[in-house]
Amino acid sequence: MVLFYVLIFALAFGPALILGGPGALLEGGIYAGTATAADASALMVAAMLSGPPAYALVAMLMIALTSGRAGLRGLRSRTLRWRVGVRWYAVALLTAPLLWLGIQGTLWLTSSAYAPAIIAAEDKAGLLVTALVAGLIAGFFEEIAWSGFATHELIKRHGPVATGLMVGLPWSLLHLPLYAGAPSGDVPWALSVAVGLFAWLPPYRVLMVWVYAHTQSVLIAMLMHVPVSALGFVLGSAAMAGLPDLIFNLIFGVTLWGLVAAVTAGRRSTPQPGPPAPRPLRGTEEPTGAPWSGPESK
């Protein structure tokens, strides 16, 4: 797993460090002047979207090295697994949009700074297409790495929260160039970056791990990733830079951690099935007793 993360970060930050030095990843770096995803130029969008396919290749390489063809077949099976129940599709597709729209919409009532980017966009159709393409590319390729390999391996030894943090923190850190280049307005730069990176991405990843643990479906993880990548283009605006963005991220993060707590509490309060009752020895069955209801009788 260490090698996986080393390769991921080398691909994510290596070219920028080589071309621009350490400043490329800090304030005033390669994304300087880009307050939101909607403000990114076509070149920046292309740069952001070049990483996910590389991450997927790293994951497939790791699986091939550790598990061979059987591991790659398992990845394909998990990626194509779609029969998981309607409720998991609802959780994957609606969790982020409902919370994001609800929080930003409520804050919009208090300040025009929270007006969605799509409202003022001159080319609304173009922005929607860009958001959809970016969401699909990021969701599909990144989840081959984060869910198809990292989560699948870590969940074997750790619970959903621990696995979510071990995957979510590196996943959050990969967004450093985008957040570091954004103007912080009236908020200290370091605080703005820290909140932007770690307020809500880790708890959202914990929820993604919880969904994956129940479905074993990389496809569902992909569908859960798409909205958070697309919504940044459609709803985020330059006017939110600084304090408004800080407030939104904190509220979004607290809400997601509340969901994590609720899910964890519900999981702990659910009685775990015990081992099946032993089959009575032949000849000792009670003639009037209820039949044994072990697995073989179902």
Side-chain angles (χ1 to χ4, degrees):
M1 192 61 65
V2 173
L3 177 59
F4 168 75
Y5 284 129
V6 169
L7 292 174
I8 290 291
F9 278 95
L11 288 170
F13 296 156
L17 289 173
I18 292 172
L19 295 175
L25 301 179
L26 300 176
E27 185 177 10
I30 57 176
Y31 293 117
T34 304
T36 67
D39 299 324
S41 65
L43 182 59
M44 286 182 179
V45 172
M48 286 187 285
L49 297 182
S50 64
Y55 307 156
L57 289 176
V58 170
M60 289 187 286
L61 174 62
M62 295 298 300
I63 292 173
L65 290 175
T66 57
S67 304
R69 292 183 178 179
L72 292 174
R73 287 195 296 269
L75 173 64
R76 181 181 63 183
S77 175
R78 297 192 303 277
T79 303
L80 298 177
R81 184 169 296 153
W82 61 275
R83 294 184 177 180
V84 297
V86 175
R87 64 169 178 164
W88 296 114
Y89 281 93
V91 170
L93 291 171
L94 298 179
T95 298
L98 290 179
L99 291 179
W100 195 318
L101 286 167
I103 294 170
Q104 187 168 340
T106 301
L107 291 172
W108 189 11
L109 297 176
T110 67
S111 172
S112 60
Y114 293 99
I118 191 70
I119 300 296
E122 295 182 1
D123 184 6
K124 292 179 173 55
L127 181 59
L128 288 173
V129 170
T130 300
L132 180 59
V133 171
L136 289 173
I137 292 177
F140 178 82
F141 288 108
E142 282 197 38
E143 289 314 312
I144 290 177
W146 299 121
S147 294
F149 175 69
T151 296
H152 184 73
E153 293 301 319
L154 290 170
I155 199 70
K156 297 175 183 177
R157 302 183 297 277
H158 307 281
V161 175
T163 298
L165 291 176
M166 285 187 281
V167 176
L169 292 175
W171 178 52
S172 303
L173 192 57
L174 284 178
H175 295 81
L176 175 61
L178 180 59
Y179 281 95
S184 57
D186 53 353
V187 177
W189 176 80
L191 177 61
S192 176
V193 172
V195 172
L197 289 177
F198 302 114
W200 64 270
L201 285 171
Y204 192 74
R205 176 57 65 175
V206 172
L207 292 175
M208 292 183 71
V209 169
W210 172 71
V211 170
Y212 181 82
H214 282 79
T215 63
Q216 292 293 300
S217 172
V218 178
L219 174 62
I220 297 300
M222 292 172 175
L223 295 179
M224 196 166 180
H225 188 140
V226 169
V228 294
S229 294
L231 288 173
F233 286 87
V234 177
L235 299 181
S237 68
M240 286 178 62
L243 186 59
D245 190 56
L246 185 77
I247 293 172
F248 170 81
N249 285 330
L250 287 174
I251 295 176
F252 196 20
V254 169
T255 304
L256 287 171
W257 276 120
L259 280 179
V260 170
V263 167
T264 303
R267 181 172 177 266
R268 290 176 178 174
S269 64
T270 302
Q272 299 298 315
R279 185 186 291 276
L281 296 176
R282 186 179 298 278
T284 63
E285 296 88 350
E286 292 290 336
T288 59
W292 183 72
S293 58
E296 289 88 347
S297 66
K298 295 182 180 178

